[in-house]
Amino acid sequence: MKITTWNVAGLRAFIRKNGWGWICQHDPDVICLQEIKANPDQIAAEDQALFAPYQTFWNPADRKGYSGTLTFVKEISVQFKKGLGIDRFDHEGRTIQTEFDSFTLFNLYVPNGGRDHSRVPFKLDFYAALLDLCDSMHAEGKNIIICGDINTSHQEIDVNNPKSKSKITGFLPEERIWINKFLEHGFLDVFRDLYPEKIQYTYWSYINNQRAKNNGWRLDYFLISEALLPIVRDVETHPDALGSDHCPVSLILNAP
């Protein structure tokens, strides 16, 4: 099974830039998109036809042109659920849960803290609510895969020139500590577990052509329940995939 996550920075623009062509070429079984900025009725019929091999589950934000998540699943019968069950987060369309036989998959678009840090408390509350839910699920014996734009670079290796970014949202100490908390509560950052010394970014600002300079951030993650590690084959990052200021990341599992 291949699960691919990608912040597309606007689904309509992503399709125009032929981002879906990359998806067709790589043929994941499950696709988790974030920051779709669209409702289904805003996608042209010919573009929706591209999605035909997949079941689709949309969670757009109440506010048009903002946030939103979208999950695609090929061939497997699954159940979907929107949100975390907390309205202050759920009206922004940031979460989709998909129930598979052996795990629950979270497609997440974690809030940005804002240039003025005004949304940092909201972001930290989102992390806390998610972890509370995951703790309850782990206590019930469920396994979890969290994927998406986590909007925080965890360690200095995960961001270019970390000293210059230490006071910018996405690399604040109070944000980074939440990645530690998830790791202390039964999760693994599976990319870093497999590649402890590899420098690999997943986001580059369009300003000043930062991707060409590889001045980037690792913001897109797979956090998995520790019990799932034996079925992990690999995590692949695809920095050459275009269509967004983020690139896709794929988790490959030895699972049906």
Side-chain angles (χ1 to χ4, degrees):
M1 174 185 280
K2 181 190 292 185
I3 304 171
T4 296
T5 181
W6 200 348
N7 178 321
V8 295
L11 181 60
R12 288 166 288 181
F14 172 78
I15 293 171
R16 289 196 302 271
K17 295 174 183 178
N18 197 34
W20 195 260
W22 183 95
I23 289 174
C24 291
Q25 179 182 355
H26 289 262
D27 194 30
D29 301 289
V30 182
I31 307 163
C32 295
L33 303 185
Q34 304 89 40
E35 202 177 359
I36 60 172
K37 299 182 179 179
N39 297 313
D41 59 7
Q42 294 177 296
I43 305 300
E46 59 269 27
D47 290 334
Q48 294 228 28
L50 299 171
F51 309 154
Y54 294 92
Q55 303 172 67
T56 59
F57 192 80
W58 297 71
N59 189 13
D62 292 350
R63 172 181 158 193
K64 288 193 174 181
Y66 177 73
S67 189
T69 45
L70 174 58
T71 297
F72 301 80
V73 178
K74 185 183 288 186
E75 297 177 353
I76 306 167
S77 179
V78 295
Q79 293 183 333
F80 298 100
K81 180 180 178 181
K82 294 181 181 180
L84 298 175
I86 302 172
D87 184 66
R88 66 186 290 239
F89 305 124
D90 292 348
H91 74 89
E92 295 191 354
R94 295 188 176 275
T95 311
I96 297 173
Q97 300 178 47
T98 308
E99 293 287 344
F100 294 87
D101 288 342
S102 53
F103 57 84
T104 299
L105 174 67
F106 282 83
N107 176 3
L108 290 185
Y109 180 35
V110 172
N112 186 291
R115 291 185 179 182
D116 61 356
H117 299 183
S118 61
R119 293 261 288 179
V120 169
F122 182 80
K123 177 180 181 178
L124 302 186
D125 287 350
F126 182 95
Y127 282 138
L130 174 66
L131 186 55
D132 283 347
L133 177 57
C134 290
D135 281 345
S136 297
M137 295 172 68
H138 275 159
E140 295 171 358
K142 294 183 178 180
N143 289 316
I144 303 166
I145 297 175
I146 295 171
C147 76
D149 182 357
I150 305 302
N151 243 325
T152 297
S153 291
H154 182 209
Q155 303 176 46
E156 290 192 352
I157 193 175
D158 296 318
V159 62
N160 177 267
N161 196 0
K163 289 185 179 179
S164 71
K165 296 179 172 67
S166 62
K167 296 183 180 180
I168 300 173
T169 184
F171 201 58
L172 299 173
E174 60 266 38
E175 296 170 326
R176 295 167 61 193
I177 198 171
W178 274 98
I179 309 297
N180 292 339
K181 290 183 180 182
F182 277 85
L183 302 185
E184 292 164 1
H185 284 241
F187 284 96
L188 296 172
D189 172 1
V190 66
F191 172 82
R192 189 55 68 208
D193 192 77
L194 294 176
Y195 302 104
E197 298 181 2
K198 187 173 184 178
I199 295 174
Q200 181 66 75
Y201 307 132
T202 66
Y203 164 81
W204 305 262
S205 172
Y206 284 132
I207 299 171
N208 297 324
N209 198 19
Q210 296 299 306
R211 189 182 292 219
K213 302 172 185 176
N214 202 29
N215 182 9
W217 307 60
R218 188 168 75 99
L219 299 178
D220 304 86
Y221 287 71
F222 282 93
L223 302 178
I224 69 167
S225 298
E226 293 173 351
L228 293 174
L229 185 60
I231 67 169
V232 172
R233 187 186 307 171
D234 201 3
V235 178
E236 298 176 349
T237 306
H238 310 279
D240 296 330
L242 303 178
S244 170
D245 49 4
H246 292 248
C247 75
V249 183
S250 297
L251 174 68
I252 297 94
L253 301 174
N254 292 316

